[in-house]
Amino acid sequence: MTIELRHHTDLTAQARQDLLNVYADVRAPLLHLADYRVEVFAERLDRHAGEPGFELVLGYDGELPVGYAYGNTIDAGDRYWKRMAEPLPDGYTDTPAPAIKEIGVRAPWRGTGTARRIHDELLAHRTEDRVTLMVNPLAGDGKVQALYESWGYQAINSQQPSPDSPRLTAMVRAR
């Protein structure tokens, strides 16, 4: 199985639609929940796409989009850091870091290394010392967080980004 990776720093109409199609498939069991609705995700995506350092990687099997990862750069003043449940150590947020906002892969391509390839491509040209992401610790009965741990991420804190969202585990790893 050959997956073509396409890197974007601008959210084109086609890339946006492809990402939304994959998102709707990946999150289908959760779309009835307010924070997971496609429209709510699309609003977050559009906001994130306008933030500094936005990058998106889409994976394609032929012309079918099968997975994605995207994020942007966060710095000390970003609300990403300010919403943590526990105070972070002094100076922890002084250097910018990429924050991976979403990773998703359609079911037939899970377990094939596609998610890891997309993730690694997203970070391939980054120069920061570390990267961060959030994960719902209940996702996949804990398997998603365990996957990220196998990629070198460590839990450092938690937050609830919005009243409708679950409490998420904040994870960091050296880039």
Side-chain angles (χ1 to χ4, degrees):
M1 171 183 326
T2 302
I3 303 299
E4 177 192 356
L5 302 181
R6 300 179 191 170
H7 199 115
H8 303 269
T9 54
D10 292 313
L11 187 61
T12 65
Q14 186 63 56
R16 182 180 188 273
Q17 190 57 58
D18 288 350
L19 193 160
L20 292 176
N21 290 344
V22 176
Y23 175 86
D25 190 24
V26 169
R27 304 286 189 241
L30 302 171
L31 295 179
H32 67 284
L33 300 172
D35 198 53
Y36 289 91
R37 290 189 347 257
V38 173
E39 300 79 21
V40 173
F41 172 72
E43 290 172 8
R44 274 196 310 270
L45 172 62
D46 292 342
R47 184 180 69 245
H48 294 153
E51 293 174 347
F54 174 80
E55 292 188 58
L56 162 67
V57 173
L58 287 161
Y60 292 84
D61 189 346
E63 288 305 308
L64 178 68
V66 300
Y68 66 89
Y70 82 85
N72 63 287
T73 305
I74 57 173
D75 60 21
D78 197 281
R79 65 187 179 153
Y80 187 94
W81 295 124
K82 292 180 177 183
R83 294 187 299 208
M84 294 295 172
E86 302 295 326
L88 292 165
D90 286 343
Y92 192 82
T93 65
D94 287 352
T95 58
I100 298 176
K101 301 292 178 84
E102 279 276 340
I103 300 175
V105 174
R106 293 180 194 246
W109 290 268
R110 292 182 194 149
T112 67
T114 299
R116 181 65 187 259
R117 283 190 59 222
I118 292 170
H119 167 275
D120 290 353
E121 176 62 23
L122 182 66
L123 299 176
H125 306 289
R126 302 299 302 221
T127 59
E128 298 89 351
D129 293 335
R130 64 178 170 208
V131 59
T132 184
L133 56 75
M134 299 280 179
V135 62
N136 180 341
L138 304 177
D141 294 324
K143 291 178 187 172
V144 176
Q145 184 167 333
L147 176 67
Y148 295 151
E149 289 168 350
S150 77
W151 294 356
Y153 285 90
Q154 296 181 323
I156 61 154
N157 213 315
S158 67
Q159 66 171 252
Q160 187 170 1
S162 71
D164 292 329
S165 75
R167 177 158 296 281
L168 304 176
T169 300
M171 302 185 83
V172 172
R173 76 161 212 189
R175 202 191 59 74

